[in-house]
């Protein structure tokens, strides 16, 4: 049963890790610039630097997918490169290496946007797979299933970060201790970086490629034709 439902399971795991990583880091970004970098206004420059790479990264999903013929593997590559870029960001900061920092921010967003497009492109595959496997087509369930994974990850990511900061002695609008600053910095770079790499490993085993997908679609059409 586990093997038969592998696309569902991998999609759910991918979304949980996606939500955990994305929302945990997003919750930390303003803290990072305010307390670690010492200036919340850096966030504005950061936001501007990631807009164009975000658009280009999303557009790059299709050519990479055409090359690999597997949406899961495509998502895996984008996730892996997102993780590597985030790990690299740990070694740079705005105050000392602004150009490199913002370039890495743009590169990270580029790969993330490619991943984001790929992971949501997987959902229709799961819809077709579900109809092929069970004979029932349930688009709503599939999207709700994936959304559930995202929400679980979001809840875990934000709550874990809040708990960690609280335990380290975080208080708003004061100078933070070294433990708090360390958590903020790692939450901005190394922790999500490692989680992205784990996500890449999980999605690497997504086996529903273009050939098998087309076969599934053809078999569904044949079944429907036989029942007419």
């Amino acid at each position: 049963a586990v093997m038969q439902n592998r696309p569902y399971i991998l999609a759910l795991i991918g979304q949980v890790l996606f939500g955990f990583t994305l929302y945990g880091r997003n919750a930390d970004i303003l803290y990072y610039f305010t307390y670690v970098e010492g200036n919340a206004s850096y966030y504005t420059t950061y936001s501007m630097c990631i807009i164009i790479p975000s658009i280009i990264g999303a557009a790059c999903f299709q050519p990479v997918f055409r090359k690999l013929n597997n949406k899961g593997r495509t998502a895996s590559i984008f996730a892996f490169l997102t993780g590597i870029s985030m790990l690299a960001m740990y070694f740079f900061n705005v105050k000392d290496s602004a150009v490199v920092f913002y370039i890495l921010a743009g590169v990270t967003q580029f790969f993330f946007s490619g991943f984001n497009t790929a992971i949501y492109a997987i959902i229709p595959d799961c819809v077709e797979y579900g109809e092929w496997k069970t004979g029932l087509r349930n688009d709503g369930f599939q999207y709700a299933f994936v959304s559930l994974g995202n929400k679980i990850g979001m809840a875990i990511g934000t709550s874990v970060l809040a708990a960690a900061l609280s335990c380290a002695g975080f208080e708003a609008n004061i100078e933070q201790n070294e433990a708090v600053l360390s958590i903020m910095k790692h939450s901005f770079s190394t922790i999500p970086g490692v989680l992205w790499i784990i996500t890449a490993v999980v999605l690497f085993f997504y086996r529903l490629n273009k050939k098998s997908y087309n076969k599934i679609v053809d078999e569904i059409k044949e079944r429907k034709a036989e029942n007419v």
Side-chain angles (χ1 to χ4, degrees):
V2 172
M3 293 298 292
Q4 291 178 346
N5 294 308
R6 175 178 284 185
Y8 302 146
I9 294 169
L10 292 181
L12 179 63
I13 294 173
Q15 283 293 334
V16 170
L17 291 170
F18 173 49
F20 181 86
T21 305
L22 176 63
Y23 292 100
R25 185 174 193 257
N26 281 351
D28 180 65
I29 287 178
L30 277 176
Y31 285 160
Y32 173 81
F33 286 112
T34 301
Y35 298 109
V36 178
E37 295 285 2
N39 192 335
S41 66
Y42 290 150
Y43 175 72
T44 302
T45 305
Y46 169 84
S47 299
M48 293 175 63
C49 288
I50 65 176
I51 293 174
I52 294 177
S54 179
I55 296 170
I56 298 173
C60 285
F61 160 72
Q62 280 295 341
V64 177
F65 170 58
R66 282 196 296 267
K67 184 71 174 177
L68 298 177
N69 288 324
N70 185 311
K71 293 177 183 177
R73 294 281 173 86
T74 302
S76 177
I77 287 176
F78 279 117
F80 178 76
L81 294 173
T82 300
I84 295 299
S85 301
M86 284 190 171
L87 290 174
M89 290 189 75
Y90 176 80
F91 300 100
F92 302 93
N93 59 66
V94 177
K95 290 177 286 188
D96 300 324
S97 311
V99 174
V100 178
F101 179 89
Y102 287 127
I103 288 175
L104 282 173
V107 170
T108 299
Q109 188 66 25
F110 169 85
F111 291 129
F112 163 73
S113 293
F115 169 85
N116 194 35
T117 304
I119 196 70
Y120 282 104
I122 288 174
I123 302 175
D125 290 4
C126 293
V127 172
E128 302 292 349
Y129 179 87
E131 183 176 4
W132 173 74
K133 182 61 67 175
T134 67
L136 299 174
R137 188 177 185 87
N138 196 332
D139 302 55
F141 170 79
Q142 300 293 338
Y143 283 93
F145 185 74
V146 173
S147 178
L148 172 65
N150 201 338
K151 287 184 172 66
I152 291 172
M154 176 178 64
I156 295 173
T158 52
S159 61
V160 167
L161 176 61
L165 289 174
S166 177
C167 290
F170 170 76
E171 291 184 36
N173 304 317
I174 64 170
E175 185 175 344
Q176 305 301 324
N177 63 51
E178 287 300 318
V180 169
L181 294 177
S182 179
I183 290 172
M184 289 178 178
K185 186 167 184 177
H186 283 292
S187 297
F188 180 76
S189 54
T190 59
I191 294 174
V194 170
L195 289 173
W196 276 116
I197 292 173
I198 293 172
T199 303
V201 172
V202 170
L203 290 171
F204 182 80
F205 294 99
Y206 183 89
R207 301 297 175 85
L208 192 60
N209 58 27
K210 191 173 183 179
K211 182 179 179 180
S212 58
Y213 173 78
N214 289 337
K215 182 180 178 181
I216 285 172
V217 172
D218 289 340
E219 289 188 15
I220 292 173
K221 288 180 181 178
E222 290 175 4
R223 292 175 188 172
K224 290 180 178 179
E226 292 173 356
N227 293 328
V228 172

